[in-house]
Amino acid sequence: MRIGIFGGSFNPPHKMHESIAEQLIKKNLLDKVIFVPTSNFYPKAGLISDEARFEMLSLMIKDKKEYEVSKYEFGRLTYTYQTLEYFKNENNNDEIYFICGSDNLEYIDTWKEYKKILGEYKLIVIPRKHDMEKLLNKYQEYKNNIIIAELENNYLSSTLVRQYLKEEKYNEVKEYINENVLDYIIKNNLYK
């Protein structure tokens, strides 16, 4: 089985996160996607509790057997290579893929153990506003482990979503957030 590890703050999880996972499975690049929200140890301003982000992801993927949400990073600050190692050990008969945007690939050489990530795992890279040819040349040595996934509408700003939520513009935000997730946000007074 090909398992994609989709890490991020998911603050909040939105339809683009869901669409990326869905398209990767439909394009037969992956069989399963595991969403891995970062813990609250991750130094990011405005990050709501990891438990709330886990609950929202769970609501977003409800009834979808090819998706899973993991609490692996909760309670600690982990590096990407450690997260990938954990899932590799947990699923040792499966292939582990790391899902990331081209913005991550651009700076992956500043990450801890980046050569291990590029050398031992396949990366599914979603192009954003980067020169992909230039990026692939930068990591020429690992090009066989880098898969460029051209996806439809692959970018949505979480900042914009949070702004709508802060201003209680729920009608505007409906097109970006799963209905169950939006209900959870309203019910728990999040992002105000």
Side-chain angles (χ1 to χ4, degrees), residues 14-16 156 160-161 164 172-178:
H14 50 65
K15 286 183 179 176
M16 189 47 52
L156 170 62
L160 172 69
V161 171
Y164 279 150
E172 288 88 336
V173 86
K174 270 183 189 173
E175 73 177 280
Y176 304 122
I177 293 187
N178 171 297

Side-chain angles (χ1 to χ4, degrees), residues 7-191:
S9 57
F10 302 108
N11 189 35
H14 50 65
K15 286 183 179 176
M16 189 47 52
H17 297 129
E18 191 175 7
S19 173
I20 287 169
E22 197 174 273
Q23 289 183 66
L24 292 175
I25 289 171
K26 276 187 181 167
K27 287 180 178 275
N28 200 30
L29 292 170
L30 295 172
D31 303 302
K32 180 179 183 176
V33 173
I34 301 176
F35 293 87
V36 185
T38 57
S39 78
N40 283 101
F41 285 91
Y42 187 69
K44 193 166 187 177
L47 196 60
I48 65 165
S49 82
D50 44 23
E51 285 294 338
R53 291 180 287 116
F54 176 86
E55 287 303 320
M56 289 187 289
L57 278 165
S58 298
L59 288 166
M60 183 182 83
I61 67 161
K62 195 172 134 187
D63 305 324
K64 294 182 179 158
K65 64 180 183 349
E66 62 276 357
Y67 301 152
E68 188 180 305
V69 186
S70 171
K71 291 184 176 184
Y72 168 70
E73 293 191 357
F74 289 10
R76 60 169 95 59
L77 181 59
T78 58
Y79 294 101
T80 299
Y81 83 92
Q82 294 170 314
T83 299
L84 293 172
E85 274 181 353
Y86 168 79
F87 285 104
K88 185 178 182 180
N89 291 333
E90 288 292 301
N91 306 278
N92 57 11
N93 294 323
D94 299 312
E95 288 181 84
I96 301 299
Y97 291 69
F98 175 53
I99 302 166
C100 67
S102 56
D103 47 337
N104 293 129
L105 183 61
E106 184 176 16
Y107 299 108
I108 204 167
D109 57 346
T110 65
W111 295 11
K112 195 167 185 73
E113 299 287 348
Y114 80 93
K115 288 182 179 179
K116 186 179 189 70
I117 296 168
L118 290 167
E120 294 182 17
Y121 302 93
K122 298 252 190 239
L123 274 68
I124 296 182
V125 180
I126 292 118
R128 299 257 165 86
K129 296 171 183 164
H130 296 88
D131 180 339
M132 294 311 297
E133 196 174 321
K134 187 177 171 187
L135 272 180
L136 288 173
N137 285 336
K138 181 177 179 179
Y139 301 109
Q140 182 73 29
E141 184 182 343
Y142 305 102
K143 71 177 183 178
N144 292 336
N145 283 351
I146 300 172
I147 300 160
I148 306 302
E150 294 287 348
L151 304 181
E152 294 175 30
N153 306 317
N154 69 26
Y155 186 72
L156 170 62
S157 165
S158 293
T159 306
L160 172 69
V161 171
R162 284 192 301 274
Q163 189 60 40
Y164 279 150
L165 292 169
K166 183 180 177 183
E167 295 169 5
E168 297 183 35
K169 292 182 176 176
Y170 299 130
N171 283 332
E172 288 88 336
V173 86
K174 270 183 189 173
E175 73 177 280
Y176 304 122
I177 293 187
N178 171 297
E179 188 180 333
N180 296 327
V181 173
L182 183 56
D183 289 346
Y184 180 89
I185 290 169
I186 293 168
K187 182 179 165 190
N188 291 281
N189 292 313
L190 302 177
Y191 301 106

